[in-house]
Amino acid sequence: MKIKDKMKDKTELKSLINDYCKDKGISKADFARRAGVSGATLSSIEGGRFDLISETMANRLFALLNEAVGQTIYKTRDFNAVQKACEVARQHHFMIGITGDTGTGKTTALTHFARNRGVYKITLTKSMHQRFFLDAFLKELGQECYGSLGDKVAKIVDFINAKANALILIDEAGKMTPNVMLLLHDIREATRFNCGIVMAGMPYFRTNLERNAKRQQVGFAEFMRRVNLWQELDGLNRTEIEAIIEDKGYSKETDMQQFAGFRRFADLENKILLDNILNGGI
Ligand SMILES: Nc1ncnc2c1ncn2[C@@H]1O[C@H](COP(=O)(O)OP(=O)(O)OP(=O)(O)O)[C@@H](O)[C@H]1O
Ligand SMILES: [Mg+2]
């Protein structure tokens, strides 16, 4: 049930960046803007001068390229459900909401899908005001961020509508402020025949939207109505925990008892880490 992502090495950056720019249909200048790196850094990579690229810089670029550095991805039901939701959203131009407890693997699964062509991922923060949101959006699209709010929305809409089948992934969607939601609504309306949107957040993402819709807060009921589908993540089941601990070198016959209660990936990961540090592990 797993795929192994091999460790990346700095020398792979050149081809990864080339493929990324080709896939996303952006120029090297767009990429530099998006990555927040200088032209000189990109030239060093282009010219094969990897000695000039620090480990920190390389890891930052790998992260932007959505490469899981040395991470093993387990294709759990939740992981597969997110991949499926992303595919459906892209194919049918749906707006899909995904909810799951902290540590269930929403970011991991979205990041994995974001490696596909024409997929753009934005991570919201609680302090993200409208301008900041649009700038983050434009940066992800590799576009320059200048002009009024209206100009920025228009630029995003034009960019998306120029693509055949774009997909926007919004992580940490529970942190969406009402103003950001209104902007997203406008963008959705103007791109709905061309683009899907997948939003992932904690269960309160959905309940807050519902509560505000019931209270007749501006825009909430309208936004909720436009969500075609909600997908709830369940957490790990017993079979998945067994497969993961076996992969980590434990025995499902003798060691399962201490791991059986961990439904959230992050908790299981932490338990294994602690066991390795404190007890010398397996
Ligand atoms: N399918 C998976 N394969 C391997 N590791 C995973 C998988 N899903 C999650 N993890 C690991 O579990 C941890 C938590 O995952 P992640 O950050 O994606 O959860 P999340 O749902 O986004 O949590 P939060 O709501 O707090 O942002 C991470 O360290 C990640 O590496
Ligand atoms: Mg997350």
Side-chain angles (χ1 to χ4, degrees):
M1 92 167 171
K2 68 191 164 56
I3 52 163
K4 291 260 186 196
D5 273 327
K6 65 179 167 55
M7 272 299 255
K8 300 288 173 196
D9 155 322
K10 275 199 276 191
T11 57
E12 291 182 57
L13 278 172
K14 183 176 172 179
S15 63
L16 284 171
I17 293 172
N18 281 336
D19 290 350
Y20 185 88
C21 290
K22 210 154 73 193
D23 276 359
K24 303 269 181 193
I26 62 173
S27 68
K28 292 282 161 53
D30 291 338
F31 178 82
R33 196 161 26 245
R34 187 166 176 168
V37 300
S38 66
T41 300
L42 271 197
S43 304
S44 304
I45 294 170
E46 285 280 307
R49 298 291 316 273
F50 297 106
D51 51 318
L52 298 177
I53 309 296
S54 71
E55 289 300 318
T56 317
M57 172 63 76
N59 281 337
R60 211 171 99 202
L61 288 169
F62 281 132
L64 181 92
L65 295 161
N66 295 313
E67 291 295 340
V69 186
Q71 189 188 19
T72 302
I73 296 283
Y74 296 95
K75 293 188 166 177
T76 59
R77 289 162 315 139
D78 283 346
F79 178 86
N80 289 336
V82 174
Q83 306 306 303
K84 185 81 201 284
C86 291
E87 264 155 33
V88 168
R90 181 154 65 162
Q91 202 178 344
H92 301 287
H93 308 142
F94 275 2
M95 181 143 86
I96 295 182
I98 294 174
T99 57
D101 199 0
T102 177
T104 44
K106 301 180 294 295
T107 301
T108 306
L110 286 186
T111 304
H112 188 80
F113 200 85
R115 292 159 78 171
N116 289 305
R117 192 190 185 104
V119 182
Y120 306 93
K121 179 160 84 68
I122 302 143
T123 303
L124 301 187
T125 62
K126 194 69 198 142
S127 59
M128 202 175 231
H129 300 302
Q130 287 183 310
R131 186 168 300 280
F132 189 8
F133 167 69
L134 292 176
D135 289 352
F137 208 142
L138 283 166
K139 195 169 167 200
E140 172 65 9
L141 302 179
Q143 301 298 297
E144 285 179 53
C145 326
Y146 54 79
S148 65
L149 287 183
D151 292 340
K152 290 179 182 183
V153 169
K155 202 192 261 188
I156 290 170
V157 167
D158 287 349
F159 182 93
I160 292 174
N161 283 335
K163 302 258 155 212
N165 268 321
L167 180 68
I168 307 298
L169 306 179
I170 310 269
D171 197 10
E172 300 283 354
K175 295 183 178 149
M176 196 185 299
T177 62
N179 282 337
V180 166
M181 184 198 68
L182 293 172
L183 277 181
L184 192 58
H185 178 112
D186 290 348
I187 293 169
R188 170 65 180 157
E189 278 302 280
T191 60
R192 70 184 189 283
F193 299 115
N194 225 9
C195 175
I197 300 182
V198 174
M199 306 170 288
M202 291 281 289
Y204 65 73
F205 164 48
R206 184 177 183 177
T207 48
N208 283 350
L209 286 179
E210 282 167 349
R211 180 159 6 97
N212 286 320
K214 263 202 203 107
R215 286 185 188 154
Q216 296 292 323
Q217 297 287 322
V218 179
F220 279 88
E222 299 92 311
F223 188 77
M224 274 303 274
R225 179 176 77 71
R226 284 166 173 79
V227 180
N228 301 88
L229 186 74
W230 284 98
Q231 170 79 49
E232 208 177 312
L233 304 184
D234 297 328
L236 297 168
N237 67 15
R238 196 178 168 87
T239 320
E240 289 169 342
I241 298 174
E242 282 176 355
I244 294 165
I245 64 164
E246 273 203 315
D247 187 54
K248 303 277 184 195
Y250 292 91
S251 148
K252 69 176 180 194
E253 278 77 29
T254 55
D255 300 318
M256 191 53 189
Q257 205 182 353
Q258 55 170 323
F259 298 111
F262 294 94
R263 303 293 305 272
R264 301 191 298 208
F265 224 117
D267 295 340
L268 180 65
E269 210 173 50
N270 192 45
K271 168 78 181 160
I272 292 172
L273 183 69
L274 284 179
D275 187 49
N276 276 294
I277 294 171
L278 301 178
N279 307 325
I282 28 154

